[in-house]
Amino acid sequence: MELDHRFGRSLGPERVWLLTAAVALVALVGGSLVFRGTVWDGFLWHYFWGPVFADANNAACAVRGGGTTELLYSTAACEEAVAAGGNIVAEPGYTLVSEVGYAATLVFMLAGVLFLLRRLKVGRERGLLFALIPFMFFGGALRVVEDANDAVPQGVEPGIAYPLNSLIISPVIYFTVFAITLAALVLSVALARRDVVSRYEYPLAAIGSAVLVATVGYLVWFTTARLGPEHPSAGFYPLILLLTLILSTVIAGGLYLLYDRAAPAVTAGTGLMSFVVLFAHALDGVANVLAADWAELLGLPFSYSPKHPVNEFIINVTGAVLPPSVIDTIGRAWPFLLVKIVAATAVVYIFDETIFEENPRYAILLLVAIVAVGLGPGTRDMLRATFGI
């Protein structure tokens, strides 16, 4: 018992987290060197790096065998490589293994961020959520940069070439945005500690706004100067941008006022943060509905198909249940918006005052993640349609 007590006292949760990260890193690096065929080729490359490598080079798949890697640019060639056997074939996108791995990494990193916030003695302030909003918009905009890069036809030089473009390819882009946000947070806290600013949230929000403006500015230049002549739909369609922002604000604001007056228990714990949660998920829903069902009516020379499994499932169910006459009138994507609103309402209701009293850092960090899940994908869909990518 005495040994256990000493061990527990010497290894606090932060040190346990660091030790776990170090052990995992050593195991993966060491295993890749000692058991290259199993750990690197069969696991890390197959499920994680191979799909990113193929996506970064606009290939249909990447094939690894005999210690060499080959890029294939047709589905038929990839199928032949699989049928031949003896090769490891990685296609762009996610697999069950990679999704589980990324989910576990996300949970682990959230714990690390919580420890960092404690170390910095920040994160109890609700202003942190509002200061991070520009970074969430930035993450969605940066994802559109990768979409624009992929839209470049063969023979045209991409705006961001390999290997740099691998930093903005999903899921690596999440780590890129995380690293930029974390660096901005540390810098902002340092400025506040040196009394350069009165609150760290101010420079944090300013840095997020700066990278967001720079990213959107790049998209404006890229879609007009590089994609315009070669991509018939690329351009600027501001109506989709205005409608998405206005409708999302009206929906979130209306619900916030309704809950505040008719059911104050819903927003009692989160206060104004509940509006942010509702807005983020309304934006995701509205952007999907407009792009999927009303793009042609809004003057866009294209329409979008759903990219997320949940959205695709909802649209398919709606199309199977409702008669064609109803679908032609109100579309098929609107139930996705309802699901997002219901989910956001449930979140703000669950986060009552008790949660913030017991562990405010943990509560705010979870809300940041929940807002990002809506605002990031919603911004991406909104800007893709805005720039015709």
Side-chain angles (χ1 to χ4, degrees):
M1 293 296 294
E2 182 179 355
L3 180 61
D4 292 339
H5 176 69
R6 290 179 179 177
F7 182 77
R9 183 173 58 183
S10 62
L11 285 182
E14 294 181 13
R15 292 185 178 181
V16 171
W17 188 90
L18 290 172
L19 180 61
T20 303
V23 170
L25 182 62
V26 170
L28 291 175
V29 174
S32 298
L33 295 175
V34 179
F35 307 103
R36 185 176 182 84
T38 301
V39 177
W40 172 250
D41 292 351
F43 180 65
L44 291 177
W45 189 93
H46 187 189
Y47 296 107
F48 298 95
W49 179 245
V52 173
F53 178 68
D55 197 355
N57 289 277
N58 288 330
C61 68
V63 181
R64 187 165 180 82
T68 61
T69 303
E70 181 183 4
L71 293 168
L72 301 179
Y73 293 89
S74 70
T75 303
C78 295
E79 292 175 350
E80 291 179 3
V82 173
N87 296 315
I88 299 174
V89 181
E91 299 179 352
Y94 297 93
T95 65
L96 179 60
V97 174
S98 65
E99 285 187 342
V100 171
Y102 292 132
T105 303
L106 173 62
V107 173
F108 184 75
M109 294 304 295
L110 283 176
V113 172
L114 181 61
F115 296 143
L116 177 63
L117 293 177
R118 289 176 180 172
R119 177 69 62 176
L120 295 174
K121 297 180 180 180
V122 298
R124 300 172 63 92
E125 312 84 3
R126 299 191 176 200
L128 176 62
L129 173 66
F130 298 100
L132 290 176
I133 290 175
F135 289 95
M136 301 176 197
F137 279 112
F138 161 66
L142 191 61
R143 189 66 178 85
V144 180
V145 171
E146 194 269 327
D147 292 326
N149 216 49
D150 286 345
V152 173
Q154 289 187 349
V156 177
E157 185 69 21
I160 305 175
Y162 181 82
L164 189 60
N165 66 338
S166 61
L167 295 176
I168 60 173
I169 288 177
S170 181
V172 180
I173 187 174
Y174 301 117
F175 297 96
T176 301
V177 174
F178 174 79
I180 293 173
T181 306
L182 187 61
L185 174 63
V186 173
L187 175 61
S188 299
V189 172
L191 292 174
R193 296 278 168 80
R194 288 169 172 77
D195 295 325
V196 178
V197 293
S198 58
R199 295 177 62 93
Y200 75 91
E201 294 98 325
Y202 298 151
L204 182 60
I207 295 172
S209 300
V211 294
L212 171 62
V213 170
T215 304
V216 174
Y218 174 82
L219 282 171
V220 172
W221 169 80
F222 190 76
T223 52
T224 55
R226 301 296 296 276
L227 284 183
E230 303 292 340
H231 199 291
S233 66
F236 184 54
Y237 305 93
L239 186 58
I240 194 78
L241 176 67
L242 294 174
L243 277 178
T244 303
L245 293 175
I246 292 173
L247 289 175
S248 302
T249 302
V250 170
I251 292 172
L255 288 173
Y256 175 74
L257 293 176
L258 176 65
Y259 295 148
D260 187 56
R261 296 178 180 178
V266 175
T267 59
T270 51
L272 191 58
M273 291 191 298
S274 59
F275 170 78
V276 177
V277 176
L278 291 168
F279 173 81
H281 289 274
L283 184 82
D284 192 13
V286 170
N288 272 274
V289 171
L290 293 180
D293 289 333
W294 306 106
E296 185 176 350
L297 185 63
L298 294 174
L300 278 66
F302 51 83
S303 61
Y304 288 108
S305 58
K307 285 184 171 291
H308 304 291
V310 174
N311 192 9
E312 183 178 9
F313 172 77
I314 292 174
I315 288 178
N316 290 338
V317 170
T318 305
V321 172
L322 297 180
S325 58
V326 175
I327 293 176
D328 292 340
T329 304
I330 62 176
R332 297 186 302 169
W334 57 268
F336 180 69
L337 173 59
L338 294 181
V339 170
K340 298 290 287 186
I341 292 300
V342 170
T345 301
V347 166
V348 298
Y349 178 70
I350 291 172
F351 279 75
D352 57 12
E353 295 168 329
T354 304
I355 295 178
F356 288 96
E357 292 173 357
E358 293 178 350
N359 200 330
R361 284 194 183 95
Y362 184 67
I364 291 173
L365 186 60
L366 281 180
L367 278 179
V368 167
I370 291 168
V371 171
V373 167
L375 206 53
T379 301
R380 180 198 179 189
D381 293 335
M382 175 181 67
L383 292 181
R384 283 186 68 218
T386 300
F387 291 106
I389 299 171

